[in-house]
Amino acid sequence: MKNMISRRYQETEKTAMGEVFDFLEKYDDIINLSIGDPDLVTDSGVIDKMAEDAKAGHTKYTDYRGYPELRAEIAKFYKEEYAVEIEDSEIFVSTGGCVSMYLVMEAILDDGDEVIIPDPYFAPYPSQVKLARGKAVMLSTYEEEGFQINIERLEKLVTDRTKAIILNTPNNPTGACLSLETMNKIADFCEKHDILVVADDIYTAFSFDTEFVPIMKIGSMRKRTITINSFSKNFVMTGFRVANIIGPEEVIQAIQKINENVVFTTPSISQRAALHALKMRHEIQPAIVEEFKSRVQYCKKRIEGINNMSVLDGGGSFYVFPNIKSTGLSSKEVTRLIMQEAHVLVLPGNAFGECGEGYIRISCTVGIEKLSEAFDRIEKMNMFV
């Protein structure tokens, strides 16, 4: 009998994120700081209005690009928040950030086209490029440079097949935010080489130290930027699986054609929830942002008091990315010891690329009381005493 599995998936290993649920079954007192799924519940007002809409009949297929009312609200959001005018034809409502990235890659890449990915990176990026028959090219970034993108190193990666670079700021996993100076240099670089930017703007509300500026607003980047913006993190709506893509009209048209063969349309009730979340953002988002800011600050303060562990100051997102190189152990070894001895589940930095080796990622997705308990356990471990 022929092998039922495609060759490209026959030798794939389980990812660090994929192993999380296996570990959760090992102990009944695990504190899970691994996956970026917050403990906060979506605002009850959003849920109530979504339920009302469902009862009123919003339970069917929607327009291929999403509800017109939601697209209008997304355009209004970009105008009010960033003074960027977005045309309706440039908006696509999608089924979560990961599907959005796949749709973008499928729409823009020919076989063998190259996409530059700053390393450390959100773990699915290389596979999303590969699924679209592209080639992922890694750009090293380093803590001593604030995990900023070094333009000289970037220049060395350019070939005649370079199609795009993925930018994620605030960054998952490092928490670093690209400076305006860095983004201006990237804009010049992209203009010089005629390269697209795919902006994975997932944590925009959590840029704690500086105001978030979308790269589409810089110079001539509007015409060469495709932006993904999810409701999962900014509105703690991970389970709703709803996001949006902003890009040139021809890209949006291609994405629509592809998506008709993937999920057809984004779930109607999720779109209604997104619509109400955007309308209510000034009421509900400040408390969410303040909560995660407090958690991140607490984690960094605790890390300062632990031997063989340090962390970059400033930044955003709701992750911290402690440096554990002084332990003399690998990221995976440290992660396993923390799980076995402290019963705290974190992710190894090398799950996010080669430049993540020597780090672990901690998700601040539980309250400070639980974070306190987790760090109390960790700091008693021999390698951190």
Side-chain angles (χ1 to χ4, degrees):
M1 181 175 176
K2 292 182 179 179
N3 195 316
M4 297 171 63
I5 307 300
S6 163
R7 289 189 183 92
R8 62 183 178 273
Y9 291 110
Q10 287 175 15
E11 298 181 3
T12 55
E13 298 179 1
K14 184 176 284 190
T15 65
M17 286 191 286
E19 291 179 335
V20 163
F21 296 103
D22 295 336
F23 291 144
L24 286 174
E25 297 175 358
K26 287 184 176 291
Y27 309 101
D28 58 10
D29 62 344
I30 282 279
I31 298 176
N32 186 3
L33 307 180
S34 61
I35 302 298
D37 194 2
D39 60 330
L40 303 182
V41 177
T42 305
D43 182 83
S44 60
V46 171
I47 295 172
D48 290 344
K49 288 183 178 296
M50 177 198 69
E52 291 173 10
D53 286 351
K55 291 176 181 177
H58 288 285
T59 58
K60 304 180 183 300
Y61 294 133
T62 72
D63 182 278
Y64 290 121
R65 291 193 294 112
Y67 276 118
E69 308 100 293
L70 177 53
R71 300 199 309 261
E73 198 65 33
I74 290 167
K76 181 180 178 183
F77 167 82
Y78 275 90
K79 184 176 181 179
E80 291 180 353
E81 296 294 325
Y82 308 122
V84 176
E85 297 279 353
I86 305 291
E87 298 295 328
D88 177 74
S89 60
E90 298 174 316
I91 301 171
F92 185 89
V93 180
S94 49
T95 314
C98 284
V99 169
S100 299
M101 184 62 75
Y102 162 71
L103 291 173
V104 170
M105 293 297 125
E106 187 70 25
I108 68 173
L109 297 182
D110 289 317
D111 292 16
D113 278 351
E114 297 174 359
V115 178
I116 297 173
I117 302 175
D119 179 352
Y121 50 78
F122 178 51
Y125 288 160
S127 294
Q128 289 166 332
V129 172
K130 186 178 179 181
L131 280 171
R133 298 164 306 284
K135 177 183 177 183
V137 178
M138 304 308 167
L139 170 66
S140 298
T141 68
Y142 301 105
E143 181 182 5
E144 53 267 31
E145 298 173 350
F147 292 113
Q148 297 294 305
I149 289 174
N150 181 289
I151 299 299
E152 291 181 0
R153 284 198 295 273
L154 181 58
E155 286 278 359
K156 293 177 181 178
L157 298 181
V158 177
T159 72
D160 58 359
R161 297 306 303 272
T162 305
K163 188 66 176 285
I165 178 172
I166 296 176
L167 296 183
N168 175 218
T169 179
N171 181 264
N172 173 14
T174 67
C177 296
L178 293 179
S179 68
L180 194 55
E181 178 184 3
T182 296
M183 290 204 293
N184 277 313
K185 290 179 179 178
I186 294 169
D188 291 341
F189 164 84
C190 291
E191 185 70 26
K192 174 183 174 182
H193 295 287
D194 191 23
I195 291 173
L196 299 173
V197 163
V198 180
D200 194 10
D201 289 356
I202 302 300
Y203 299 93
T204 56
F206 307 106
S207 183
F208 300 132
D209 300 318
T210 58
E211 184 179 355
F212 175 78
V213 177
I215 195 163
M216 72 163 77
K217 191 176 179 180
I218 296 175
S220 61
M221 289 305 296
R222 174 67 189 281
K223 65 185 180 183
R224 62 176 68 256
T225 301
I226 303 165
T227 299
I228 297 168
N229 196 342
S230 170
F231 290 80
S232 291
K233 307 306 169 70
N234 285 346
F235 293 96
V236 291
M237 293 170 59
T238 53
F240 289 80
R241 310 315 301 137
V242 60
N244 61 260
I245 304 169
I246 308 292
E249 183 176 352
E250 61 269 28
V251 174
I252 297 301
Q253 289 175 351
I255 286 171
Q256 176 182 323
K257 293 175 184 176
I258 298 162
N259 194 65
E260 287 173 18
N261 300 290
V262 178
V263 296
F264 199 59
T265 66
T266 298
S268 58
I269 55 174
S270 294
Q271 291 191 52
R272 301 307 295 183
L275 171 65
H276 297 303
L278 275 180
K279 287 183 174 181
M280 299 166 63
R281 69 184 185 277
H282 296 302
E283 302 168 38
I284 65 178
Q285 212 168 45
I288 295 171
V289 173
E290 188 57 37
E291 174 64 20
F292 283 118
K293 182 178 181 179
S294 297
R295 294 180 183 186
V296 169
Q297 289 176 336
Y298 175 81
C299 286
K300 290 185 175 182
K301 185 176 181 180
R302 288 298 301 265
I303 289 167
E304 288 175 1
I306 298 177
N307 290 326
N308 294 328
M309 191 183 286
S310 62
V311 69
L312 192 68
D313 195 25
S317 80
F318 50 63
Y319 306 106
V320 291
F321 202 55
N323 184 322
I324 46 82
K325 294 177 183 178
S326 295
T327 64
L329 302 175
S330 71
S331 296
K332 194 167 186 178
E333 288 169 332
V334 169
T335 298
R336 285 191 175 274
L337 285 170
I338 290 175
M339 189 270 292
Q340 292 167 354
E341 297 180 18
H343 296 186
V344 175
L345 190 55
V346 299
L347 290 181
N350 63 355
F352 305 94
E354 290 184 8
C355 291
E357 181 53 70
Y359 298 84
I360 58 174
R361 193 194 74 171
I362 297 174
S363 297
C364 301
T365 48
V366 300
I368 287 179
E369 184 176 348
K370 272 292 182 186
L371 290 172
S372 175
E373 182 181 349
F375 278 103
D376 286 348
R377 296 182 191 178
I378 290 171
E379 67 182 4
K380 293 176 184 176
M381 295 174 62
N382 289 334
M383 64 179 167
F384 295 126
V385 172

